[in-house]
Amino acid sequence: MKIYNTLTKSKEEFVPLQEGKVSMYVCGPTVYDYIHIGNARPMIVFDTFRRYLEYKGYDVNYVSNFTDVDDKIIQRAIEEGTTAQEISEFYIRECKKDMEGMNVKPATTHPMATQEIDGMIDMIQTLIDKGYAYDSDGTVYFRTRKFQDYGKLSKKNIDDLESGHRDIRVAGEESKEDPLDFVLWKPKKEGEPSWASPWSDGRPGWHIECSVMSKKYLGDEIDIHAGGEDLIFPHHENEIAQSEAANGCPFSKYWMHNAFLNIDGTKMSKSLGNFFTVRDISQKYDLQVLRFFMLSAHYRSPLNFNAELMEAAKNGLERILTAAEKIREIIQSGADGKMTAEEQDTLAGAKQYVQKFECAMEDDCNTANAISAVFELVKFTNSHLAASNTKQFAKQLYEMLFRLCDVLGILLERKMQAVGDEDYIEEMIQKRANAKKEKNFALADSIRDELAEKGILLKDTREGTKWTRS
Ligand code: AMP
Ligand code: ZN
């Protein structure tokens, strides 16, 4: 299998450090708001890559963090008159719900920065002891120039960086030895969350968090480190400097970066107002559609989000789900007994699409081509499956389609449901009424609670159940 390694700027054969095992770290979101559809891109593409590694039989240790201490979180807490901890806990819970909707598997571990402060203090101390970091009035900086390989990931030349930085002296950073040095630990400001350290009561810098969480859960040297391309510099460049200086060995063998998601051809940003959260999208579409849309492009190509492309993704996904339903019908109603020779030939013919799918995934996780192979398998199914087929044949065909869709994270049996979709709400109300009739009050309550969580409030009246959006 080949993957594009940002470190070498080339497609390389993937050879894990330990046979049969893969250690992978994906930088997760800063939790101060609902995740947006840009954040969803790395979640979905690297989850799909992980699923393919598992499909190939690798034992994958997949770690993805939550950055739960940050200026934006503190700012939000001030605005809402609450604590940073409450803000981050709330948005972590909501993020996990969105991940479930998009069928992103939970990571093996989802570490949170605030739970790993001791490890950060240890690594910073090691860097100071080795001469790679220094304390200046309670702020600890990394001595960037001392790390010989600085710039090797982003291909930046340290002298160019220096000239760019010369005039930009940020207030409060006068105590730096060199403008290129970056923060490992900073003293708290009044009212901010803080932890005791040998240098000051304060909090860690963003970059050190990932170096430490990766080391703790995956070891000093890992197979793959991934994230969006905006993280190459400075975040990942700084992670390399910290980890390699502290641990004295290479940090990550492969670096994978997804390109950005744009909206209607322009960069998605809050200030431009062209900004969607995953929760927004779930009002109109089943999040499985969003997932399918994300995978319709190669992860290293910029992807444009617009209504037309989402509709196309929805239609494409429906074609697959309809074919799956048709196969399930034959599994129920087809002929008993052994497969015929002709059916065996047909199955052998269908295997070419599995090969095509695997070839696409082997080529730097080309999900766009992998989806084409699934469409070809669907087309093949539609033209070869008939009511006269055996159950056995239908089962095997289903298994084939199921395994490929499982890599893509597409659930073949999930009925498309958009939360804001009125048909869906009516369907759920009917389900709840039936549950009540059958005296299954636990189910009835869970349906009401589930809708409430999605902002749909039910009210039982004499004319039946009415609903409103909260
Ligand atoms: P952040 O919370 O900003 O640290 O982002 C979390 C992850 O989402 C990182 O891997 C980012 O690179 C990624 N990301 C943020 N915005 C976008 C976008 N518009 N397109 C693709 N990835 C993004
Ligand atoms: Zn990170």
Side-chain angles (χ1 to χ4, degrees):
M1 179 176 59
K2 291 217 162 15
I3 55 179
Y4 183 87
N5 188 355
T6 311
L7 194 59
T8 56
K9 283 194 140 184
S10 62
K11 272 192 204 172
E12 284 178 40
E13 190 58 34
F14 176 67
V15 185
L17 294 163
Q18 242 186 304
E19 207 183 318
K21 293 192 168 178
V22 178
S23 49
M24 182 164 181
Y25 187 97
V26 182
C27 290
T30 306
V31 278
Y32 67 101
D33 203 344
Y34 291 100
I35 56 162
H36 59 63
I37 55 176
N39 299 139
R41 192 172 190 196
M43 284 180 182
I44 292 169
V45 297
F46 297 121
D47 174 66
T48 304
F49 184 63
R50 168 203 188 167
R51 285 166 177 268
Y52 185 66
L53 290 168
E54 287 172 346
Y55 169 93
K56 281 170 71 81
Y58 285 111
D59 175 10
V60 184
N61 190 351
Y62 189 95
V63 175
S64 189
N65 68 295
F66 287 112
T67 297
D68 62 346
V69 57
D70 177 88
D71 289 342
K72 289 188 196 130
I73 300 173
I74 296 167
Q75 184 56 35
R76 183 85 192 229
I78 294 168
E79 281 165 20
E80 299 200 1
T82 178
T83 61
Q85 189 181 346
E86 265 190 42
I87 293 288
S88 59
E89 280 175 0
F90 176 82
Y91 287 112
I92 287 173
R93 258 197 322 274
E94 296 308 309
C95 175
K96 286 186 174 169
K97 284 185 203 160
D98 288 339
M99 285 169 66
E100 196 185 330
M102 298 186 293
N103 199 23
V104 170
K105 278 190 184 190
T108 316
T109 314
H110 278 292
M112 289 180 284
T114 56
Q115 306 304 308
E116 310 289 345
I117 303 290
D118 287 349
M120 296 176 204
I121 291 175
D122 282 351
M123 192 183 272
I124 295 170
Q125 189 60 55
T126 304
L127 289 168
I128 293 176
D129 293 345
K130 288 187 160 188
Y132 282 104
Y134 57 95
D135 169 15
S136 173
D137 289 336
T139 304
V140 183
Y141 293 102
F142 186 88
R143 203 169 260 133
T144 304
R145 268 187 186 278
K146 185 166 166 72
F147 184 69
Q148 299 292 321
D149 283 341
Y150 196 79
K152 70 175 170 183
L153 181 71
S154 55
K155 316 295 171 212
K156 288 187 192 295
N157 180 310
I158 202 150
D159 294 317
D160 295 344
L161 285 172
E162 176 85 87
S163 58
H165 268 80
R166 202 159 292 145
D167 304 325
I168 324 169
R169 287 255 172 188
V170 181
E173 294 198 345
E174 301 81 7
S175 54
K176 278 185 186 185
E177 285 176 4
D178 184 325
L180 287 181
D181 297 348
F182 59 88
V183 172
L184 299 175
W185 186 268
K186 57 181 157 191
K188 70 166 182 186
K189 291 194 200 112
E190 196 47 45
E192 286 184 354
S194 67
W195 291 264
S197 83
W199 318 290
S200 60
D201 273 1
R203 58 189 165 104
W206 172 36
H207 316 301
I208 196 77
E209 298 175 4
C210 287
S211 281
V212 168
M213 291 185 269
S214 177
K215 179 183 170 82
K216 175 163 174 191
Y217 295 99
L218 298 171
D220 288 0
E221 192 173 0
I222 69 170
D223 290 304
I224 304 168
H225 197 116
E229 65 183 4
D230 58 321
L231 300 187
I232 297 173
F233 187 85
H235 185 52
H236 287 164
E237 195 68 66
N238 291 355
E239 278 190 47
I240 292 178
Q242 298 162 154
S243 294
E244 299 193 353
N247 302 331
C249 65
F251 180 27
S252 179
K253 206 169 168 195
Y254 303 92
W255 288 84
M256 296 174 80
H257 293 99
N258 63 273
F260 254 46
L261 180 80
N262 299 316
I263 290 194
D264 288 325
T266 43
K267 197 178 146 105
M268 189 173 79
S269 92
K270 266 191 172 170
S271 53
L272 288 174
N274 60 349
F275 180 88
F276 292 112
T277 63
V278 169
R279 209 49 71 87
D280 293 335
I281 302 304
S282 78
Q283 298 293 314
K284 189 150 184 232
Y285 292 99
D286 184 316
L287 289 179
Q288 186 150 249
V289 177
L290 183 64
R291 180 173 185 117
F292 195 67
F293 160 77
M294 293 281 184
L295 297 178
S296 65
H298 187 254
Y299 75 95
R300 283 191 295 113
S301 305
L303 175 59
N304 196 32
F305 180 90
N306 63 36
E308 230 171 89
L309 290 173
M310 277 296 280
E311 282 303 310
K314 185 173 176 220
N315 294 337
L317 184 57
E318 264 168 2
R319 247 194 297 156
I320 297 170
L321 300 189
T322 307
E325 203 174 341
K326 201 172 131 194
I327 309 174
R328 283 200 299 272
E329 279 166 21
I330 309 289
I331 293 175
Q332 293 298 321
S333 66
D336 289 319
K338 276 186 163 175
M339 262 196 276
T340 64
E342 196 187 326
E343 284 179 332
Q344 281 179 1
D345 281 351
T346 309
L347 266 188
K351 289 218 172 91
Q352 65 176 298
Y353 305 113
V354 175
Q355 276 160 12
K356 249 187 161 170
F357 178 94
E358 288 176 358
C359 265
M361 292 301 289
E362 295 279 311
D363 181 17
D364 190 28
C365 194
N366 193 329
T367 53
N369 289 352
I371 287 177
S372 301
V374 172
F375 279 140
E376 286 182 60
L377 178 59
V378 162
K379 202 168 156 204
F380 184 87
T381 301
N382 290 341
S383 58
H384 286 83
L385 192 70
S388 55
N389 278 125
T390 62
K391 288 186 165 104
Q392 200 51 35
F393 170 72
K395 261 189 202 157
Q396 301 235 1
L397 200 55
Y398 194 76
E399 173 73 18
M400 212 179 264
L401 183 63
F402 179 87
R403 287 197 72 212
L404 304 191
C405 286
D406 190 44
V407 170
L408 298 174
I410 299 304
L411 296 166
L412 291 180
E413 293 183 31
R414 182 150 107 186
K415 267 189 97 184
M416 297 265 230
Q417 9 173 281
V419 175
D421 183 335
E422 300 190 0
D423 290 345
Y424 167 70
I425 298 168
E426 293 300 342
E427 193 186 315
M428 295 305 275
I429 289 175
Q430 193 53 48
K431 244 190 186 170
R432 176 169 169 264
N434 294 343
K436 273 184 161 176
K437 240 187 242 158
E438 290 160 12
K439 302 218 178 318
N440 187 348
F441 297 110
L443 176 63
D445 286 350
S446 80
I447 293 172
R448 189 199 51 213
D449 293 347
E450 209 176 291
L451 285 172
E453 240 174 49
K454 292 167 177 169
I456 309 297
L457 300 181
L458 301 188
K459 196 171 172 207
D460 294 316
T461 69
R462 248 184 280 170
E463 292 80 39
T465 304
K466 302 263 191 287
W467 62 269
T468 49
R469 292 185 203 277
S470 64

